[in-house]
């Protein structure tokens, strides 16, 4: 990682000397200035005893400063952990302890600190310290570790993902091969740098010489934002797409798509339903991409506009450096179009969670990583994700997958989004229930009849409405919370299964 960062910053400072590398609300930084500023921060941190043997938490509100300090730490070779200063303080302390941090570097503007070993810094490199930073005696403990992320998935329980430099570099090189970026184009990710996927794609954009709009903006109308700033590459989660893009379509009376200049609109999730894909393609941009991957593994597949046009439910072909198998419960390989457990492998990958034997045994087996997804491969080698392994239902002796039921519900004109999950009632497992967000009131019976016409008896047995889904920080629906809410509603209303 040190060489990667050093080389691309130096090369781009010459090749794209006066091109804006980072654009924020307050100022622009050219590639020449970026190279110089990162080197200044490196020297500043080293003068305060920041070395590659330290494990450092980055805690910044200012996204520009966060990116600059992160780049500096990559050059130094320190182990870095990025946390969100807007999380509950108790949650931040838990993350700090789970990751074994030695030092916190944060904005001067933040009026509180987590530990005594803290450095406060601003863009002018004014530095304040709680106390002197001490050099670490054990020089080998964290050497070679580039970055640490906490992966929560849909369970809500965090797992510490520790990525060595060679593994993180391999994920970046994988992204470089699939991202449709060209130099001097304009890139924007709505998510902030507290998430690994955002940081990776921003590093790739900088490597390729793009202008990166940092997510310091709080725009709730992404259509207007993209038009004003001439955005050519946009990255969103499914939740952001619904709330900040599609929700504003009605405000624009013009021909569709609304953002014809977008060269890529990447949705970063495996479970982007067909209705959402179609809406983005019809109203926003034809150039829709679906990126499927995990914090532990990086990018697994990338569906191009052509892939999506030919099969609206797939997440694309597997990336060149990735091996994949779909296996049944016994570990035997499944034939094409048969749903099974997804397992993936690449030459550079982690083989364990940090200090977590239980989840390591579950997810890392025989040199393969199991992301916990159910999927199938088509005849033309495209991957389709059917849902999470924990969500699969066996109802009346038949395997049922949430995605197939959600796809039916999402086609109804009154349904904005749906979530299907198994519930245990009166000793019977796997009974399909659903929650839906509606744009117009409709009776449950009408929705049930609609599903029955579409798929017969393979439908949800109950459908509840909700204003907003509980989600994790990356936008994934927390179905365990929906299960608990269903149980509470059943108890309160004494609802019987139809």
């Amino acid at each position: 990682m040190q060489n990667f960062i050093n080389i691309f910053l130096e090369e781009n400072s010459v090749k794209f000397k006066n091109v804006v590398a980072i654009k924020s609300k307050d100022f622009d930084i050219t590639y020449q200035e970026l190279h110089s500023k990162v080197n200044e921060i490196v020297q500043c941190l080293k003068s305060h005893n920041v070395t590659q043997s330290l494990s450092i938490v980055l805690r910044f509100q200012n996204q520009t400063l966060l990116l600059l300090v992160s780049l500096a730490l990559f050059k130094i070779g320190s182990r870095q952990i990025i946390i969100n200063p807007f999380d509950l303080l108790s949650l931040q302390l838990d993350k700090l302890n789970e990751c074994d941090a030695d030092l916190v570097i944060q904005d001067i503007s933040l009026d509180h600190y987590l530990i005594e070993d803290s450095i406060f810094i601003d863009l002018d490199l004014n530095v304040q310290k709680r106390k002197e930073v001490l050099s670490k005696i054990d020089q080998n403990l964290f050497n070679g570790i580039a970055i640490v992320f906490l992966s929560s998935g849909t369970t809500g329980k965090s797992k510490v993902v520790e990525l060595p430099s060679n593994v993180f570099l391999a994920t970046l090189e994988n992204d470089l091969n699939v991202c449709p970026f060209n130099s001097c184009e304009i890139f924007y990710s709505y998510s902030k740098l507290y998430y690994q996927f955002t940081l990776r794609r921003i590093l790739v954009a900088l490597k390729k010489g793009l202008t990166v709009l940092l997510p310091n903006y709080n725009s709730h109308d992404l259509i207007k934002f993209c038009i004003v700033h001439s955005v050519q590459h946009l990255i969103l989660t499914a939740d952001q797409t619904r709330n900040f893009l599609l929700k504003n379509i009605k405000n624009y009376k013009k021909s569709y798509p609304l953002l014809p200049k977008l060269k890529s609109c990447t949705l970063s999730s495996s479970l982007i339903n067909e209705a959402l894909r179609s809406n983005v393609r019809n109203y926003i941009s034809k150039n829709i991409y679906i990126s499927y991957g995990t914090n532990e593994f990086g990018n697994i597949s990338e569906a191009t506009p052509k892939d999506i046009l030919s099969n609206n439910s797939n997440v694309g072909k597997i990336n060149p450096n990735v091996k994949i198998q779909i296996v049944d419960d016994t570990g035997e390989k499944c034939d094409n179009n048969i749903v099974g457990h997804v397992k993936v492998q690449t030459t550079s990958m982690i083989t364990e969670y940090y200090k977590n034997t239980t989840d390591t045994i579950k997810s890392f087996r025989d040199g393969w990583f199991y992301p916990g997804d159910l999927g199938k491969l088509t005849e033309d080698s495209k991957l389709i994700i059917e849902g999470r392994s924990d969500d699969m239902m066996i109802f009346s002796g038949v395997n049922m997958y949430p995605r197939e039921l959600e796809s039916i519900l999402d086609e109804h004109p009154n349904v904005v989004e749906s979530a299907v999950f198994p519930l245990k009632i009166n000793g019977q497992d796997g009974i399909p229930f659903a929650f839906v967000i509606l744009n117009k009131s409709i009776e449950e019976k009408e929705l049930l009849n609609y599903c029955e016409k579409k798929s017969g008896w393979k439908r949800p047995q109950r459908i509840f409405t909700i204003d907003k889904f509980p989600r994790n920080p990356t936008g994934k629906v927390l179905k365990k919370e929906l299960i608990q809410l269903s149980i509470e509603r059943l108890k309160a209303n004494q609802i019987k299964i139809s």
Side-chain angles (χ1 to χ4, degrees):
M1 275 303 298
Q2 288 168 287
N3 286 338
F4 175 83
I5 298 295
N6 278 325
I7 291 171
F8 97 70
L9 285 178
E10 186 171 348
E11 288 181 348
N12 286 1
S13 70
V14 176
K15 189 176 181 181
F16 306 114
K17 180 179 178 179
N18 296 317
V19 174
V20 174
I22 298 172
K23 189 177 184 67
S24 68
K25 287 190 297 184
D26 304 317
F27 55 85
D28 299 345
I29 301 176
T30 66
Y31 274 95
Q32 185 180 47
E33 292 167 338
L34 176 63
H35 184 225
S36 175
K37 193 68 174 180
V38 171
N39 284 338
E40 286 180 33
I41 295 174
V42 168
Q43 295 308 312
C44 175
L45 294 178
K46 284 184 174 179
S47 72
H48 293 286
N49 293 329
V50 173
T51 66
Q52 74 178 111
S53 62
L54 291 177
S55 178
I56 300 172
V57 163
L58 299 184
R59 184 171 175 264
F60 287 89
Q61 178 177 345
N62 185 294
Q63 297 293 290
T64 305
L65 190 52
L66 173 54
L67 178 57
L68 293 173
V69 175
S70 179
L71 287 168
L73 290 183
F74 281 130
K75 283 173 68 73
I76 293 171
S78 304
R79 177 186 190 256
Q80 58 177 290
I81 306 115
I82 299 175
I83 66 174
N84 187 342
F86 298 106
D87 285 342
L88 291 173
L89 280 177
S90 58
L91 182 59
Q92 293 181 54
L93 284 168
D94 286 344
K95 290 180 178 179
L96 187 145
N97 292 327
E98 287 175 10
C99 296
D100 291 331
D102 301 310
L103 174 70
V104 175
I105 303 178
Q106 65 180 55
D107 300 80
I108 280 181
S109 61
L110 292 173
D111 58 0
H112 53 270
Y113 60 93
L114 297 181
I115 58 174
E116 287 291 329
D117 294 301
S118 297
I119 291 177
F120 299 79
I121 192 170
D122 64 17
L123 281 165
D124 295 322
L125 302 190
N126 295 310
V127 174
Q128 299 173 8
K129 293 182 291 185
R130 298 295 303 173
K131 67 178 187 178
E132 288 299 314
V133 179
L134 300 177
S135 299
K136 229 173 150 180
I137 297 174
D138 188 348
Q139 297 293 317
N140 297 314
L141 184 59
F142 293 127
N143 278 0
I145 301 300
I147 196 160
V148 178
F149 277 88
L150 278 83
S151 175
S152 60
T154 55
T155 65
K157 182 181 178 181
S158 61
K159 293 170 280 191
V160 179
V161 180
E162 190 181 55
L163 298 181
S165 291
N166 67 311
V167 173
F168 191 57
L169 180 58
T171 64
L172 289 175
E173 290 174 341
N174 197 2
D175 288 345
L176 280 165
N177 291 329
V178 300
C179 290
F181 300 161
N182 294 302
S183 62
C184 302
E185 294 175 338
I186 299 175
F187 168 94
Y188 181 66
S189 170
Y190 194 87
S191 296
K192 296 188 177 181
L193 282 93
Y194 311 127
Y195 307 106
Q196 190 211 141
F197 181 79
T198 304
L199 177 60
R200 282 197 349 248
R201 288 295 163 104
I202 285 177
L203 290 176
V204 167
L206 291 173
K207 171 70 168 67
K208 290 198 170 188
L210 280 75
T211 294
V212 173
L213 299 178
L214 282 182
N216 286 317
Y217 305 91
N218 292 313
S219 173
H220 293 291
D221 186 347
L222 269 176
I223 297 171
K224 181 179 179 180
F225 179 88
C226 290
I227 293 170
V228 169
H229 294 279
S230 301
V231 173
Q232 293 163 289
H233 300 282
L234 177 65
I235 292 183
L236 301 165
T237 65
D239 201 34
Q240 291 164 356
T241 304
R242 292 186 190 93
N243 292 330
F244 306 120
L245 201 64
L246 295 174
K247 190 175 281 188
N248 296 302
I249 289 174
K250 60 183 180 296
N251 299 330
Y252 295 86
K253 296 179 180 179
K254 58 177 288 187
S255 60
Y256 300 118
L258 292 171
L259 299 175
K261 292 184 179 180
L262 268 186
K263 295 187 176 182
S264 71
C265 180
T266 300
L267 309 187
S268 58
S269 173
S270 60
L271 297 175
I272 306 291
N273 63 48
E274 286 83 352
L276 184 61
R277 297 176 189 220
S278 296
N279 284 335
V280 171
R281 190 171 59 247
N282 293 335
Y283 297 112
I284 305 299
S285 172
K286 301 290 184 184
N287 296 318
I288 177 175
Y289 290 74
I290 307 292
S291 183
Y292 167 56
T294 69
N295 279 328
E296 297 90 337
F297 193 86
N299 191 270
I300 295 171
S301 67
E302 192 99 1
T304 66
K306 187 177 179 180
D307 293 330
I308 296 168
L309 198 59
S310 65
N311 183 330
N312 199 29
S313 61
N314 79 91
V315 294
K317 290 187 177 181
I318 306 305
N319 292 335
N321 297 326
V322 176
K323 293 180 181 179
I324 188 169
Q325 285 187 9
I326 308 297
V327 297
D328 61 22
D329 291 339
T330 67
E332 290 297 314
K333 189 175 178 180
C334 296
D335 293 332
N336 288 340
N337 297 311
I338 301 298
V339 175
H341 302 278
V342 175
K343 68 175 187 177
V344 289
Q345 185 183 72
T346 189
T347 51
S348 295
M349 57 182 281
I350 63 169
T351 57
E352 62 182 359
Y353 290 112
Y354 183 65
K355 294 185 176 180
N356 187 336
T357 303
T358 301
D359 285 322
T360 293
I361 292 171
K362 180 180 178 181
S363 300
F364 297 93
R365 285 175 267 161
D366 302 321
W368 293 83
F369 171 61
Y370 290 73
D373 290 324
L374 292 169
K376 61 185 179 182
L377 288 170
T378 63
E379 296 293 344
D380 57 351
S381 301
K382 292 187 179 73
L383 176 63
I384 295 175
I385 298 298
E386 296 289 354
R388 301 288 295 170
S389 299
D390 294 342
D391 291 342
M392 189 189 78
M393 300 162 282
I394 302 176
F395 183 55
S396 297
V398 177
N399 289 356
M400 295 174 64
Y401 305 100
R403 184 180 177 87
E404 62 181 327
L405 303 186
E406 289 165 356
S407 295
I408 293 167
L409 278 168
D410 291 339
E411 288 176 359
H412 193 283
N414 291 22
V415 175
V416 175
E417 187 180 2
S418 65
V420 175
F421 47 88
L423 205 63
K424 183 176 182 178
I425 302 291
N426 298 327
Q428 183 179 355
D429 290 323
I431 299 176
F433 270 57
F435 269 96
V436 293
I437 299 173
L438 300 174
N439 56 28
K440 184 179 178 182
S441 180
I442 185 174
E443 292 293 327
E444 178 191 14
K445 185 176 181 180
E446 186 176 338
L447 281 176
L448 290 170
N449 289 339
Y450 173 84
C451 292
E452 190 166 342
K453 287 178 182 177
K454 290 279 187 176
S455 60
W457 64 271
K458 292 179 70 174
R459 61 164 177 81
Q461 299 302 292
R462 299 293 315 195
I463 302 174
F464 300 141
T465 60
I466 193 170
D467 293 329
K468 186 178 180 181
F469 284 138
R471 300 179 187 274
N472 72 4
T474 61
K476 292 181 180 178
V477 176
L478 297 173
K479 292 190 175 181
K480 286 189 175 182
E481 293 190 19
L482 293 181
I483 290 173
Q484 185 58 41
L485 183 58
S486 299
I487 293 171
E488 291 171 4
R489 290 197 184 185
L490 288 172
K491 287 181 177 178
N493 298 291
Q494 297 183 342
I495 299 175
K496 294 182 180 181
I497 301 298
S498 62

